Amino acid sequence: MSTDKIREILTSHGRLTESVDNLKDDSDLYQAGLTSLATVGLMLALEDEFDIEFPDSVLSRKTFGSINSIADTIEDLTD
Amino acid sequence: MQKNASVQHTQFEELLQKVHAVGKETIANHASDVDEKARFPQESIEALKSLNLMSAYVPVEYGGMGLDIEQVGKICHILGHYCGSTAMIFAMHKIQVACVVHHCLTVEYFKNFAKRLVSEQLLIASATTEIGIGGDLLSSFCCVEAHDNEFDLTKKAPVISYGEYADALLITARRSADAAKSDQVGVLLNKDQYSLEPISDWDTLGFRGTCSSGFVVTGKADIEQIMPIPFTDALSQTMHPYSHVVWASLWSGIAASAVGKARSYVKNAVRKNPTAPPISSIRLGEVDTALTTMKNNVAASTKEYADLLNANNPDAFSNFSFATRINNLKISSSQLLIDIVGKSMMICGIASYRNQSELSLARHIRDAYGASLMVNNDRIMMHNSTLVLMHKE
Ligand SMILES: Cc1cc2nc3c(=O)[nH]c(=O)nc-3n(C[C@H](O)[C@H](O)[C@H](O)COP(=O)(O)OP(=O)(O)OC[C@H]3O[C@@H](n4cnc5c(N)ncnc54)[C@H](O)[C@@H]3O)c2cc1C
């Protein structure tokens, strides 16, 4: 899937210390300044945008750890 | 990730009897003196070494006992009965051992270290807390400065339990000078590779025998001594769950010891007046309920963690609801500890308030208040307050 939408949401909700444009799809978002509080906002925004609900089993640091893993998870959920 | 298989049941029961024996014969005898003088419980740690307990969590193939987390928790619980500081030292040591065992046994240096843990019964301390950062384990100021095959490291650590008495030190630091503060590694240094410059003493309310003074640590070591995984992974898979499990286990031992004193007080009262049960027997029933809750919490979380270790799926540890439950164990156990010791004092009355008395709970209550501060409960609650928003039942 295209990661543009995810990048947009990361920009508005991720409160990262680095610009999202400088991040690669596999960059570690926690190292880019993603906090647990920001993860909540990010999750809610992703759920609204993609009309999905993240089940408990995927709610982990790993899921929100990179743009790729967010994209993979969303793909699995929308299949 | 490496994990231990459980040791045979009868063998382990025998070991527990031995732990009780050194608890009664050695550890309990020195507990007051250790507490009064805020000194290192040398005799007690020696006694644990005589049972080879410093390497209890080291896998059998390296010569250790290969105990699992549930078994280590049981030992912590027993030690908590006899001396909170000794139990805390043992528990903290085991956290560092677990980091080595779970994550580092692919590296030659750590393999040898595991063998030395067995043959020399080494004691490992930890310097995670840093001046200017406080209890936020996921950030460091200090960094590893690598050149060729070596690195230098200087850390201002305000609290290093038994730092002066340890044989090795596990330190967290940023990966390099230009790494983000969350991009951390753990390094394990031997005593002859670092110096400790004292910056604060440890004259505290409780856990006085942990001798958790502050130091500037200056060290130089081989790059092989850097743990081979990012510290965040070691934290989520080991340090965070393991520490809360072993801490809560030993706190439940302190709580059980307090309830034991309360029970003996009430028994005495019943002996004196067998026809009318004293009001304190109701209080005893009440405090026993709280203790059961505490023990059940510990057992449930320990089992959940043990199951995850057995499943050997490293990703499962970063699940937010697991982290929340482990945090809840820490918060509730540290609160229940104060509650249970306080209720036991209500039962034993002034005898428990005296420093010198069979029923004294003075050390217990002072130790109890440390539990909610070591990684501040409010910091943990703040973390949970965001995690619970994501939770789906
Ligand atoms: C008996 C004992 C032994 C210890 N042994 C060791 C050891 O061997 N090695 C080691 O490294 N450390 C050790 N520690 C330190 C311990 O792990 C904590 O890191 C330390 O106590 C935290 O210090 P603090 O209270 O100054 O900081 P903080 O955790 O920063 O807390 C200070 C205050 O700030 C608030 N606060 C700060 N940040 C937040 C936040 N994000 N959210 C919510 N509240 C916040 C807290 O609620 C609290 O009011 C030990 C502590 C004890 C009590």
Side-chain angles (χ1 to χ4, degrees), chain B residues 125-366:
Chain B
S126 103
T128 51
T129 312
E130 184 171 12
I131 288 181
I133 298 246
D136 178 10
L137 285 173
L138 280 171
S139 302
S140 292
F141 274 139
C142 68
C143 67
V144 164
E145 291 173 83
H147 30 79
D148 301 326
N149 285 330
E150 284 189 327
F151 68 85
D152 287 295
L153 173 64
T154 301
K155 181 164 188 165
K156 288 188 185 130
V159 194
I160 306 182
S161 294
Y162 54 94
E164 270 178 281
Y165 305 90
D167 304 298
L169 193 51
L170 195 143
I171 310 169
T172 49
R174 282 182 302 130
R175 182 181 299 282
S176 63
D178 51 10
K181 65 181 180 160
S182 61
D183 185 7
Q184 295 165 293
V185 289
V187 301
L188 182 66
L189 268 58
N190 297 307
K191 200 182 182 66
D192 57 1
Q193 293 177 311
Y194 59 83
S195 62
L196 298 175
E197 180 202 325
I199 47 175
S200 53
D201 63 5
W202 185 254
D203 182 5
T204 51
L205 186 67
F207 287 123
R208 292 169 58 81
T210 61
C211 298
S212 308
S213 303
F215 300 95
V216 176
V217 185
T218 310
K220 189 184 200 69
D222 199 287
I223 50 168
E224 215 191 10
Q225 293 172 244
I226 300 174
M227 288 171 66
I229 59 158
F231 178 69
T232 42
D233 294 346
L235 185 67
S236 68
Q237 295 171 31
T238 303
M239 199 177 262
H240 175 242
Y242 203 102
S243 60
H244 292 185
V245 162
V246 289
W247 289 348
S249 300
L250 84 91
W251 297 336
S252 72
I254 297 176
S257 155
V259 173
K261 292 191 189 216
R263 186 179 297 109
S264 69
Y265 179 90
V266 177
K267 271 187 181 166
N268 246 340
V270 171
R271 274 191 206 104
K272 279 185 199 143
N273 189 354
T275 48
I279 187 159
S280 56
S281 65
I282 292 177
R283 291 272 172 261
L284 183 64
E286 206 174 70
V287 75
D288 186 65
T289 306
L291 179 62
T292 304
T293 303
M294 186 181 190
K295 284 182 173 171
N296 286 346
N297 286 348
V298 175
S301 291
T302 310
K303 168 115 184 23
E304 183 177 10
Y305 181 43
D307 287 347
L308 281 189
L309 286 171
N310 284 330
N312 212 356
N313 169 16
D315 292 342
F317 298 95
S318 73
N319 182 277
F320 293 138
S321 55
F322 173 64
T324 310
R325 283 192 293 277
I326 288 292
N327 283 339
N328 283 336
L329 170 69
K330 198 276 178 179
I331 293 170
S332 72
S333 307
S334 54
Q335 288 170 345
L336 277 168
L337 176 58
I338 295 172
D339 182 40
I340 290 170
V341 179
K343 284 190 166 118
S344 302
M345 290 181 78
M346 284 301 288
I347 296 169
C348 298
I350 203 77
S352 66
Y353 197 62
R354 292 184 199 283
N355 283 319
Q356 310 297 337
S357 138
E358 273 290 297
L359 295 177
S360 175
L361 288 170
R363 192 179 78 243
H364 293 65
I365 195 74
R366 287 186 288 100

Side-chain angles (χ1 to χ4, degrees), chain A residues 18 28 30-33 36-37 39-40 43-44 47 53-64, chain B residues 138 175 180 182-184 230 232 236 315-316 318-321 325 382-383 386-387 389-393:
Chain A
E18 275 177 55
D28 186 328
Y30 289 97
Q31 277 174 25
S36 67
L37 184 57
T39 309
V40 180
M43 180 200 83
L44 295 173
E47 289 191 338
E53 194 171 343
F54 290 100
D56 210 40
S57 57
V58 303
L59 288 175
S60 71
R61 272 180 82 87
K62 184 169 180 278
T63 298
F64 297 99
Chain B
L138 280 171
R175 182 181 299 282
S182 61
D183 185 7
Q184 295 165 293
T232 42
S236 68
D315 292 342
S318 73
N319 182 277
F320 293 138
S321 55
R325 283 192 293 277
M382 194 71 188
H383 213 68
T386 62
L387 297 180
L389 287 176
M390 290 194 259
H391 190 66
K392 315 259 159 69
E393 192 67 70

